[in-house]
Structure formats: structure tokens, C-alpha cells
């Protein structure tokens, strides 16, 4: 009963007919109740996916005893290894969007944990290349890779039309600009007339 009520309450928070700012929008768009219910189902599924995606990522990080940037670095190094690309600390810092000193700390931590090795760069004597260890690669493939394969399988079972529609929806959602909420609370300047 509590789980049922929680789901109902969470769905209610997604229902534009119950939220003041969007009630008018529903009317303006001429949406029937069935359309609104489908949209709520879509947003509920998206919310659940976001929660479960976070849970899967957390489980992987916890198993490997790594932070989020650590995992992003490991994935980057694994892809580079598969593509026979040499990775330097500068490249990794750029990929992660962090500073040189921060990437040095991250690499020190990963090296101390046995996840990466720094080795001489094959063409630049002044630089070091960074590679993921075989043990970490195998562990990441068995955990994160298995999770990714399960998600890939779900997408593979969809029709091409379903995948394209889902992709269009997710891209449109991702393309929405981030609102400046402080600006939304500022009263509009009267226009000169």
C-alpha cells in the first residue's frame, strides 16, 4: 500500500493537470486525458530510468572502489587501448574537464589502487603514457560491460522506428536550454509604448 501510494504521489508530481504553471499548457495543447496519461507514463519511466542508472553506476563504483571521475577515466583508457591510441595525462584532463593538478591526483590514486600504469611514451621522451591494468580492464568488463550489454540488448529488441522515436525524444530533452531560475522570478520590465 505504501509503495502504491508513493508511486501515485510521484506520478501526481509529474501530472501537469495538478501543477499550476502547466495546467494552461495542457489546455492550450488540446491534450485529451489519455494523451496526458501517456506523457506522465513516459516521464515516470524516464524518472525511474534515471534512478536505476544512478544505482547501477553506484554499484559499479562501489565494487571497483572508485569515484565517478575515476570510472570515467578508466572507461576512456579502455576505449583508447582497444583503438590502439596512446593517452597522456593532458588528454585525460581534457576528456574529464579537469585541471592538470587534479588529473595528477586522480592518476596517483588510480596507480596506487593498481588500476593504471604510467609508462614511457613510445614517441615523446618527455611524456608518459597511461594504460589501464589488465586486472582492472577484466573487472570493468565483467561488471560495467555486462550492465551495458544488458541495456544494449533491450535497445536491440526495439524496432528501428521505436529507437529513432526514442532518440528524437531524448535529444530534444537534452537540447532544452538550462533556465536561469533567478531571472524567471524577476518581474518583466514594462515595454515602452
Amino acid at each position: 500500500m505504501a509503495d502504491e501510494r508513493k508511486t501515485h504521489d510521484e506520478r501526481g508530481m509529474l501530472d501537469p493537470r495538478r501543477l499550476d504553471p502547466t495546467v494552461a499548457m495542457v489546455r492550450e495543447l488540446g491534450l485529451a486525458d489519455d494523451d496526458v496519461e501517456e506523457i506522465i507514463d513516459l516521464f515516470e519511466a524516464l524518472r525511474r530510468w534515471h534512478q536505476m542508472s544512478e544505482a547501477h553506476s553506484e554499484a559499479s563504483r562501489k565494487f571497483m572502489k572508485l569515484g565517478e571521475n575515476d570510472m570515467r577515466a578508466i572507461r576512456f583508457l579502455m576505449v583508447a587501448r582497444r583503438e590502439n591510441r596512446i593517452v597522456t595525462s593532458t588528454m585525460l584532463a581534457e576528456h574529464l574537464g579537469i585541471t592538470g593538478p587534479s588529473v595528477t591526483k586522480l592518476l596517483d590514486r588510480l596507480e596506487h589502487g593498481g588500476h593504471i600504469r604510467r609508462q614511457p611514451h613510445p614517441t615523446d621522451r618527455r611524456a608518459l603514457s597511461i594504460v589501464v591494468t589488465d586486472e582492472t580492464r577484466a573487472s570493468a568488463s565483467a561488471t560495467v560491460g555486462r550492465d551495458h550489454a544488458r541495456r544494449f540488448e533491450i535497445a536491440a529488441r526495439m524496432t528501428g522506428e521505436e529507437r529513432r522515436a526514442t532518440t528524437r525524444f531524448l535529444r530534444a530533452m537534452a537540447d532544452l536550454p538550462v533556465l536561469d531560475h533567478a531571472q524567471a522570478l524577476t518581474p518583466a520590465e514594462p515595454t515602452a509604448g
Side-chain angles (χ1 to χ4, degrees):
M1 179 69 175
D3 287 340
E4 211 173 283
R5 186 174 58 245
K6 181 179 175 190
T7 301
H8 176 74
D9 289 345
E10 287 170 350
R11 281 181 56 82
M13 287 187 275
L14 297 172
D15 190 336
R17 296 165 298 188
R18 296 176 67 187
L19 298 171
D20 288 342
T22 53
V23 171
M25 179 190 65
V26 171
R27 281 192 219 108
E28 286 172 18
L29 294 173
L31 296 173
D33 282 342
D34 287 348
D35 293 326
V36 174
E37 289 299 324
E38 286 178 357
I39 292 168
I40 294 168
D41 285 346
L42 178 62
F43 284 124
E44 172 65 12
L46 194 59
R47 184 190 65 75
R48 284 190 59 230
W49 154 246
H50 181 70
Q51 287 177 331
M52 292 311 297
S53 178
E54 289 294 319
H56 287 279
S57 293
E58 178 62 27
S60 295
R61 288 192 302 266
K62 189 174 182 180
F63 172 75
M64 295 189 69
K65 298 179 176 87
L66 296 172
E68 187 171 340
N69 262 356
D70 300 337
M71 289 292 283
R72 289 180 60 215
I74 296 293
R75 283 193 298 269
F76 181 74
L77 292 168
M78 287 176 61
V79 168
R81 180 177 173 166
R82 260 185 244 117
E83 296 174 350
N84 293 316
R85 286 188 295 133
I86 297 164
V87 177
T88 64
S89 61
T90 303
M91 293 168 63
L92 190 57
E94 188 176 295
H95 173 74
L96 297 174
I98 60 177
T99 64
S102 294
V103 83
T104 299
K105 287 179 186 177
L106 179 139
L107 291 173
D108 289 346
R109 188 171 57 249
L110 291 176
E111 188 172 43
H112 181 72
H115 297 291
I116 60 123
R117 283 189 326 272
R118 291 171 169 129
Q119 55 191 35
H121 193 286
T123 59
D124 184 350
R125 291 188 326 211
R126 298 167 296 149
L128 293 172
S129 64
I130 304 154
V131 295
V132 69
T133 62
D134 290 338
E135 296 80 15
T136 293
R137 184 188 50 75
S139 182
S141 293
T143 57
V144 179
R146 185 175 57 204
D147 254 358
H148 183 67
R150 293 186 318 156
R151 291 189 293 266
F152 191 89
E153 187 178 332
I154 290 169
R157 288 193 303 255
M158 297 169 73
T159 66
E161 185 178 327
E162 290 170 329
R163 286 191 294 266
R164 287 187 296 275
T166 303
T167 300
R168 280 192 308 273
F169 169 73
L170 292 173
R171 283 184 178 155
M173 294 289 280
D175 288 344
L176 285 173
V178 176
L179 294 177
D180 180 350
H181 296 290
Q183 185 179 13
L185 294 175
T186 306
E189 299 264 337
T191 55

Coordinates of all heavy atoms in Angstrom, one line a residue, residues 118-191:
R118 N 51.7 4.1 -15.4 CA 52.3 5.1 -16.2 C 53.5 4.5 -16.8 O 54.3 3.8 -16.1 CB 52.7 6.3 -15.3 CG 51.5 7.1 -14.8 CD 52.0 8.1 -13.7 NE 51.0 9.1 -13.3 CZ 50.8 9.3 -12.1 NH1 51.4 8.7 -11.1 NH2 49.9 10.3 -11.8
Q119 N 53.7 4.7 -18.1 CA 54.9 4.1 -18.7 C 55.4 5.1 -19.7 O 54.7 6.0 -20.1 CB 54.5 2.7 -19.4 CG 53.4 2.8 -20.3 CD 52.9 1.4 -20.7 OE1 52.9 0.5 -19.9 NE2 52.5 1.3 -21.9
P120 N 56.7 4.9 -20.2 CA 57.3 5.8 -21.1 C 56.4 5.9 -22.4 O 55.9 4.9 -22.9 CB 58.7 5.2 -21.4 CG 58.9 4.3 -20.3 CD 57.6 3.8 -19.8
H121 N 56.3 7.1 -22.9 CA 55.6 7.4 -24.1 C 56.5 6.8 -25.3 O 57.7 7.1 -25.3 CB 55.3 8.9 -24.3 CG 54.4 9.2 -25.4 ND1 54.7 9.1 -26.7 CD2 53.1 9.7 -25.3 CE1 53.6 9.5 -27.4 NE2 52.7 9.8 -26.6
P122 N 55.9 6.1 -26.2 CA 56.7 5.5 -27.3 C 57.4 6.5 -28.2 O 58.4 6.1 -28.9 CB 55.7 4.6 -28.0 CG 54.4 5.0 -27.6 CD 54.5 5.7 -26.3
T123 N 56.8 7.7 -28.4 CA 57.4 8.6 -29.4 C 57.8 9.9 -28.7 O 58.5 10.7 -29.4 CB 56.4 8.9 -30.5 OG1 55.2 9.5 -29.9 CG2 56.1 7.7 -31.3
D124 N 57.5 10.2 -27.5 CA 57.8 11.5 -26.9 C 58.5 11.2 -25.5 O 57.9 10.8 -24.6 CB 56.5 12.3 -26.6 CG 56.8 13.7 -26.1 OD1 58.0 14.0 -25.7 OD2 55.8 14.5 -26.0
R125 N 59.8 11.4 -25.5 CA 60.6 11.1 -24.3 C 60.2 11.9 -23.1 O 60.5 11.6 -22.0 CB 62.1 11.3 -24.6 CG 62.6 10.2 -25.5 CD 64.1 10.3 -25.6 NE 64.7 11.7 -25.5 CZ 65.7 12.1 -26.1 NH1 66.4 11.3 -26.8 NH2 66.2 13.3 -25.9
R126 N 59.6 13.1 -23.3 CA 59.2 14.0 -22.2 C 57.9 13.6 -21.6 O 57.6 14.1 -20.5 CB 59.1 15.4 -22.7 CG 60.4 16.0 -23.3 CD 60.2 17.3 -24.0 NE 59.4 17.0 -25.2 CZ 58.6 17.8 -25.8 NH1 58.4 19.0 -25.3 NH2 57.9 17.5 -26.8
A127 N 57.1 12.7 -22.2 CA 55.8 12.4 -21.7 C 55.7 10.9 -21.3 O 56.5 10.1 -21.6 CB 54.8 12.6 -22.9
L128 N 54.7 10.7 -20.5 CA 54.3 9.4 -20.1 C 53.0 9.0 -20.7 O 52.1 9.8 -20.9 CB 54.2 9.3 -18.6 CG 55.5 9.5 -17.7 CD1 55.1 9.6 -16.3 CD2 56.4 8.4 -18.0
S129 N 52.8 7.7 -21.0 CA 51.5 7.3 -21.5 C 50.9 6.5 -20.3 O 51.5 6.1 -19.4 CB 51.6 6.3 -22.7 OG 52.3 5.1 -22.3
I130 N 49.6 6.5 -20.3 CA 48.8 5.9 -19.2 C 48.0 4.8 -19.8 O 47.3 4.9 -20.8 CB 47.8 7.0 -18.6 CG1 48.6 8.2 -18.2 CG2 47.0 6.4 -17.5 CD1 47.8 9.4 -18.1
V131 N 48.1 3.6 -19.1 CA 47.3 2.5 -19.6 C 46.6 1.8 -18.4 O 47.1 1.9 -17.2 CB 48.2 1.4 -20.2 CG1 48.8 1.9 -21.5 CG2 49.3 0.9 -19.3
V132 N 45.5 1.3 -18.7 CA 44.7 0.6 -17.6 C 45.3 -0.8 -17.4 O 45.8 -1.4 -18.4 CB 43.2 0.5 -18.0 CG1 42.9 -0.4 -19.2 CG2 42.3 0.1 -16.8
T133 N 45.3 -1.3 -16.2 CA 45.9 -2.6 -16.0 C 45.0 -3.7 -16.5 O 43.8 -3.5 -16.6 CB 46.2 -2.8 -14.4 OG1 45.0 -2.8 -13.7 CG2 47.2 -1.8 -13.9
D134 N 45.6 -4.9 -16.7 CA 44.7 -6.0 -17.2 C 43.7 -6.4 -16.2 O 42.6 -6.7 -16.5 CB 45.6 -7.2 -17.5 CG 46.5 -7.0 -18.7 OD1 46.2 -6.1 -19.6 OD2 47.6 -7.6 -18.9
E135 N 44.0 -6.3 -14.9 CA 43.1 -6.7 -13.8 C 41.9 -5.8 -13.8 O 40.7 -6.2 -13.7 CB 43.8 -6.7 -12.5 CG 44.9 -7.7 -12.3 CD 46.2 -7.3 -13.0 OE1 46.4 -6.1 -13.3 OE2 47.1 -8.1 -13.2
T136 N 42.1 -4.5 -13.9 CA 41.0 -3.5 -13.9 C 40.2 -3.6 -15.1 O 39.0 -3.5 -15.1 CB 41.6 -2.1 -13.7 OG1 42.1 -2.0 -12.4 CG2 40.5 -1.0 -13.8
R137 N 40.9 -3.8 -16.3 CA 40.1 -4.0 -17.5 C 39.2 -5.2 -17.5 O 38.0 -5.1 -17.8 CB 41.1 -4.1 -18.7 CG 40.4 -4.2 -20.1 CD 41.4 -4.6 -21.2 NE 42.2 -5.7 -20.9 CZ 41.8 -7.0 -20.9 NH1 40.5 -7.3 -21.2 NH2 42.6 -8.0 -20.6
A138 N 39.7 -6.3 -16.9 CA 38.9 -7.5 -16.8 C 37.7 -7.3 -15.8 O 36.6 -7.7 -16.1 CB 39.7 -8.7 -16.4
S139 N 38.0 -6.6 -14.7 CA 37.0 -6.4 -13.7 C 35.9 -5.4 -14.3 O 34.7 -5.7 -14.1 CB 37.6 -5.8 -12.5 OG 36.7 -5.5 -11.5
A140 N 36.3 -4.4 -14.9 CA 35.4 -3.4 -15.5 C 34.5 -4.1 -16.6 O 33.3 -3.8 -16.7 CB 36.1 -2.2 -16.1
S141 N 35.1 -4.9 -17.4 CA 34.4 -5.6 -18.5 C 33.4 -6.5 -17.9 O 32.2 -6.6 -18.4 CB 35.3 -6.3 -19.4 OG 36.2 -5.5 -20.1
A142 N 33.7 -7.2 -16.8 CA 32.8 -8.1 -16.2 C 31.7 -7.5 -15.5 O 30.6 -8.1 -15.3 CB 33.6 -9.0 -15.2
T143 N 31.8 -6.2 -15.0 CA 30.8 -5.6 -14.3 C 30.1 -4.5 -15.1 O 28.9 -4.7 -15.6 CB 31.3 -4.9 -13.0 OG1 32.4 -4.0 -13.4 CG2 31.9 -6.0 -12.0
V144 N 30.8 -3.4 -15.4 CA 30.2 -2.3 -16.2 C 29.8 -2.8 -17.6 O 28.8 -2.5 -18.1 CB 31.1 -1.1 -16.2 CG1 30.6 0.0 -17.1 CG2 31.5 -0.7 -14.8
G145 N 30.7 -3.6 -18.2 CA 30.5 -4.1 -19.5 C 29.2 -5.0 -19.6 O 28.4 -4.9 -20.5
R146 N 29.0 -5.8 -18.6 CA 27.8 -6.7 -18.5 C 26.6 -5.8 -18.4 O 25.6 -6.1 -19.0 CB 28.0 -7.7 -17.4 CG 26.8 -8.7 -17.3 CD 27.1 -9.7 -16.3 NE 27.2 -9.1 -15.0 CZ 27.8 -9.6 -13.9 NH1 28.4 -10.8 -14.0 NH2 27.9 -8.9 -12.8
D147 N 26.6 -4.8 -17.6 CA 25.5 -3.9 -17.4 C 25.1 -3.2 -18.8 O 24.0 -3.2 -19.2 CB 25.7 -2.8 -16.4 CG 25.0 -3.1 -15.1 OD1 24.2 -4.0 -15.0 OD2 25.2 -2.2 -14.2
H148 N 26.2 -2.8 -19.4 CA 26.0 -2.1 -20.7 C 25.4 -3.1 -21.7 O 24.5 -2.7 -22.5 CB 27.3 -1.5 -21.2 CG 27.1 -0.7 -22.5 ND1 26.4 0.5 -22.6 CD2 27.6 -1.0 -23.7 CE1 26.4 0.9 -23.8 NE2 27.1 0.0 -24.6
A149 N 25.9 -4.3 -21.7 CA 25.4 -5.3 -22.7 C 23.9 -5.6 -22.5 O 23.1 -5.7 -23.4 CB 26.2 -6.6 -22.5
R150 N 23.4 -5.6 -21.2 CA 22.0 -5.8 -20.9 C 21.2 -4.6 -21.5 O 20.1 -4.9 -22.0 CB 21.8 -5.9 -19.4 CG 22.4 -7.2 -18.9 CD 22.1 -7.5 -17.4 NE 22.1 -6.3 -16.6 CZ 21.4 -6.1 -15.5 NH1 20.6 -7.1 -15.0 NH2 21.5 -5.0 -14.7
R151 N 21.7 -3.4 -21.3 CA 20.9 -2.3 -21.9 C 20.9 -2.3 -23.4 O 19.9 -2.0 -24.0 CB 21.5 -1.0 -21.3 CG 21.3 -0.8 -19.8 CD 21.7 0.6 -19.4 NE 23.1 0.8 -19.5 CZ 24.0 0.7 -18.5 NH1 23.6 0.2 -17.3 NH2 25.3 0.9 -18.7
F152 N 22.1 -2.6 -24.0 CA 22.2 -2.7 -25.4 C 21.2 -3.7 -26.0 O 20.5 -3.5 -27.0 CB 23.6 -3.1 -25.8 CG 23.9 -3.0 -27.3 CD1 24.3 -1.8 -27.8 CD2 23.7 -4.0 -28.2 CE1 24.6 -1.6 -29.2 CE2 23.9 -3.9 -29.5 CZ 24.4 -2.7 -30.0
E153 N 21.0 -4.9 -25.3 CA 20.1 -5.9 -25.7 C 18.6 -5.4 -25.7 O 17.9 -5.7 -26.7 CB 20.2 -7.1 -24.8 CG 19.4 -8.3 -25.2 CD 19.6 -9.5 -24.3 OE1 20.6 -9.6 -23.6 OE2 18.6 -10.3 -24.2
I154 N 18.3 -4.6 -24.8 CA 16.9 -4.0 -24.8 C 16.7 -3.1 -26.0 O 15.7 -3.2 -26.7 CB 16.7 -3.2 -23.5 CG1 16.6 -4.2 -22.3 CG2 15.4 -2.4 -23.6 CD1 16.6 -3.5 -20.9
A155 N 17.7 -2.3 -26.3 CA 17.6 -1.4 -27.5 C 17.6 -2.3 -28.8 O 16.9 -1.9 -29.7 CB 18.8 -0.4 -27.5
A156 N 18.3 -3.4 -28.8 CA 18.4 -4.2 -30.0 C 17.0 -4.9 -30.2 O 16.7 -5.2 -31.4 CB 19.4 -5.3 -29.8
R157 N 16.2 -5.1 -29.2 CA 14.9 -5.7 -29.4 C 13.8 -4.7 -29.9 O 12.8 -5.1 -30.3 CB 14.4 -6.3 -28.0 CG 15.2 -7.6 -27.7 CD 14.5 -8.4 -26.5 NE 14.3 -7.6 -25.4 CZ 15.0 -7.7 -24.2 NH1 16.0 -8.6 -24.2 NH2 14.7 -7.0 -23.2
M158 N 14.1 -3.4 -29.8 CA 13.2 -2.4 -30.3 C 13.3 -2.4 -31.9 O 14.3 -2.8 -32.5 CB 13.6 -1.1 -29.8 CG 13.5 -0.9 -28.3 SD 14.2 0.6 -27.7 CE 13.0 1.8 -28.2
T159 N 12.2 -1.9 -32.4 CA 12.2 -1.7 -33.9 C 13.0 -0.5 -34.2 O 13.2 0.4 -33.3 CB 10.8 -1.5 -34.5 OG1 10.3 -0.3 -33.9 CG2 9.9 -2.7 -34.1
G160 N 13.4 -0.3 -35.4 CA 14.2 0.8 -35.8 C 13.4 2.1 -35.6 O 13.9 3.1 -35.2
E161 N 12.1 2.0 -35.9 CA 11.2 3.2 -35.7 C 11.1 3.6 -34.2 O 11.2 4.8 -33.9 CB 9.8 2.9 -36.2 CG 8.8 4.0 -36.1 CD 7.5 3.7 -36.7 OE1 7.4 2.9 -37.7 OE2 6.5 4.2 -36.2
E162 N 11.0 2.6 -33.3 CA 11.0 2.8 -31.9 C 12.3 3.5 -31.4 O 12.3 4.4 -30.6 CB 10.7 1.5 -31.1 CG 9.3 1.0 -31.2 CD 9.2 -0.4 -30.7 OE1 10.2 -1.2 -30.7 OE2 8.1 -0.8 -30.2
R163 N 13.4 3.0 -31.9 CA 14.7 3.5 -31.5 C 14.8 5.0 -32.0 O 15.3 5.9 -31.2 CB 15.9 2.7 -32.0 CG 16.1 1.4 -31.3 CD 17.4 0.7 -31.7 NE 17.4 0.3 -33.0 CZ 17.0 -0.9 -33.4 NH1 16.7 -1.9 -32.6 NH2 17.1 -1.3 -34.7
R164 N 14.4 5.2 -33.2 CA 14.5 6.6 -33.8 C 13.6 7.6 -33.0 O 14.0 8.7 -32.7 CB 14.2 6.6 -35.2 CG 15.3 6.0 -36.1 CD 15.1 6.1 -37.6 NE 13.9 5.5 -38.1 CZ 13.9 4.2 -38.4 NH1 15.0 3.4 -38.3 NH2 12.7 3.6 -38.8
A165 N 12.4 7.1 -32.6 CA 11.5 8.0 -31.9 C 12.1 8.3 -30.5 O 12.0 9.4 -30.0 CB 10.1 7.3 -31.8
T166 N 12.6 7.2 -29.8 CA 13.2 7.4 -28.5 C 14.4 8.4 -28.6 O 14.6 9.2 -27.7 CB 13.6 6.0 -27.9 OG1 12.5 5.2 -27.9 CG2 14.2 6.2 -26.5
T167 N 15.2 8.2 -29.6 CA 16.4 9.0 -29.8 C 16.0 10.5 -30.0 O 16.5 11.4 -29.4 CB 17.2 8.5 -31.0 OG1 17.7 7.2 -30.7 CG2 18.5 9.4 -31.2
R168 N 14.9 10.7 -30.9 CA 14.5 12.1 -31.1 C 14.0 12.7 -29.8 O 14.3 13.9 -29.5 CB 13.3 12.1 -32.1 CG 13.8 12.0 -33.5 CD 12.6 12.3 -34.5 NE 11.4 11.5 -34.3 CZ 11.2 10.3 -34.8 NH1 12.1 9.7 -35.6 NH2 10.1 9.7 -34.6
F169 N 13.2 12.0 -29.0 CA 12.7 12.5 -27.7 C 13.9 12.8 -26.8 O 13.9 13.9 -26.2 CB 11.8 11.4 -27.1 CG 11.5 11.7 -25.6 CD1 10.6 12.8 -25.3 CD2 12.0 11.0 -24.6 CE1 10.3 13.1 -24.0 CE2 11.7 11.3 -23.3 CZ 10.8 12.4 -23.0
L170 N 14.8 11.9 -26.6 CA 15.9 12.1 -25.7 C 16.8 13.3 -26.1 O 17.2 14.1 -25.3 CB 16.7 10.9 -25.5 CG 16.0 9.7 -24.7 CD1 16.8 8.5 -24.7 CD2 15.6 10.1 -23.3
R171 N 17.0 13.4 -27.4 CA 17.8 14.5 -27.9 C 17.1 15.9 -27.7 O 17.7 16.9 -27.4 CB 18.2 14.3 -29.4 CG 19.3 13.3 -29.6 CD 19.7 13.2 -31.1 NE 20.8 12.2 -31.2 CZ 21.0 11.6 -32.3 NH1 20.3 11.8 -33.4 NH2 22.0 10.8 -32.3
A172 N 15.8 15.9 -28.0 CA 15.0 17.1 -27.8 C 15.1 17.5 -26.3 O 15.2 18.7 -26.0 CB 13.6 16.9 -28.3
M173 N 15.0 16.5 -25.4 CA 15.0 16.8 -24.0 C 16.4 17.4 -23.6 O 16.5 18.3 -22.8 CB 14.7 15.6 -23.1 CG 13.3 15.1 -23.3 SD 12.1 16.1 -22.5 CE 12.3 15.6 -20.8
A174 N 17.5 16.7 -24.1 CA 18.8 17.2 -23.8 C 19.1 18.5 -24.4 O 20.0 19.2 -23.9 CB 19.8 16.1 -24.3
D175 N 18.5 18.9 -25.5 CA 18.7 20.2 -26.2 C 18.0 21.4 -25.5 O 18.3 22.5 -25.9 CB 18.3 20.1 -27.6 CG 19.3 19.3 -28.5 OD1 20.4 19.0 -28.0 OD2 18.9 18.9 -29.6
L176 N 17.1 21.1 -24.5 CA 16.5 22.2 -23.8 C 17.5 23.0 -23.1 O 18.3 22.5 -22.4 CB 15.4 21.7 -22.8 CG 14.1 21.1 -23.4 CD1 13.3 20.5 -22.3 CD2 13.3 22.2 -24.1
P177 N 17.5 24.3 -23.3 CA 18.5 25.1 -22.5 C 18.2 25.1 -21.1 O 17.0 25.0 -20.6 CB 18.3 26.6 -23.1 CG 16.9 26.5 -23.8 CD 16.6 25.1 -24.1
V178 N 19.2 25.3 -20.3 CA 19.0 25.4 -18.8 C 18.5 26.8 -18.5 O 19.0 27.8 -19.0 CB 20.4 25.1 -18.1 CG1 20.2 25.3 -16.6 CG2 20.9 23.8 -18.4
L179 N 17.4 26.8 -17.8 CA 16.7 28.1 -17.4 C 17.5 28.8 -16.3 O 18.0 28.1 -15.4 CB 15.3 27.8 -17.0 CG 14.3 27.3 -18.0 CD1 13.0 27.1 -17.4 CD2 14.2 28.2 -19.2
D180 N 17.5 30.1 -16.4 CA 18.0 30.9 -15.3 C 16.8 31.2 -14.4 O 16.0 32.0 -14.6 CB 18.6 32.2 -15.9 CG 19.2 33.1 -14.8 OD1 18.9 32.8 -13.6 OD2 19.8 34.1 -15.1
H181 N 16.7 30.3 -13.4 CA 15.5 30.4 -12.5 C 15.4 31.8 -11.7 O 14.4 32.2 -11.5 CB 15.5 29.2 -11.5 CG 15.3 27.9 -12.2 ND1 14.2 27.6 -12.8 CD2 16.2 26.9 -12.4 CE1 14.3 26.4 -13.4 NE2 15.6 26.0 -13.2
A182 N 16.6 32.4 -11.5 CA 16.6 33.7 -10.8 C 15.9 34.7 -11.7 O 15.2 35.6 -11.3 CB 18.0 34.1 -10.4
Q183 N 16.2 34.6 -13.0 CA 15.7 35.6 -13.9 C 14.2 35.4 -14.1 O 13.4 36.3 -14.2 CB 16.3 35.4 -15.3 CG 15.9 36.4 -16.3 CD 16.6 36.2 -17.7 OE1 17.2 35.2 -17.9 NE2 16.5 37.2 -18.5
A184 N 13.7 34.1 -14.0 CA 12.3 33.9 -14.1 C 11.5 34.5 -12.9 O 10.3 34.8 -13.1 CB 12.0 32.4 -14.1
L185 N 12.1 34.7 -11.8 CA 11.4 35.3 -10.6 C 11.5 36.9 -10.7 O 10.8 37.5 -9.9 CB 12.1 34.9 -9.3 CG 11.9 33.4 -9.0 CD1 12.7 33.0 -7.8 CD2 10.4 33.0 -8.9
T186 N 12.3 37.4 -11.6 CA 12.4 38.9 -11.7 C 11.2 39.4 -12.6 O 11.0 38.9 -13.6 CB 13.7 39.3 -12.4 OG1 14.8 38.7 -11.7 CG2 13.9 40.8 -12.5
P187 N 10.5 40.4 -12.0 CA 9.3 40.9 -12.8 C 9.8 41.4 -14.2 O 10.9 42.0 -14.3 CB 8.7 42.0 -12.0 CG 9.5 42.0 -10.7 CD 10.7 41.1 -10.8
A188 N 9.0 41.2 -15.2 CA 9.3 41.7 -16.5 C 9.3 43.2 -16.5 O 8.5 43.9 -15.9 CB 8.4 41.1 -17.5
E189 N 10.2 43.8 -17.3 CA 10.3 45.3 -17.5 C 9.1 45.7 -18.4 O 8.8 45.0 -19.4 CB 11.6 45.7 -18.2 CG 12.8 45.3 -17.4 CD 13.3 46.4 -16.6 OE1 13.0 47.5 -16.9 OE2 14.0 46.1 -15.6
P190 N 8.4 46.7 -18.0 CA 7.3 47.2 -18.9 C 7.9 47.7 -20.2 O 9.0 48.3 -20.2 CB 6.6 48.3 -18.1 CG 7.6 48.7 -17.0 CD 8.5 47.6 -16.8
T191 N 7.2 47.4 -21.3 CA 7.7 47.8 -22.6 C 7.2 49.2 -22.8 O 6.1 49.6 -22.4 CB 7.2 46.9 -23.7 OG1 5.8 46.8 -23.6 CG2 7.8 45.5 -23.5

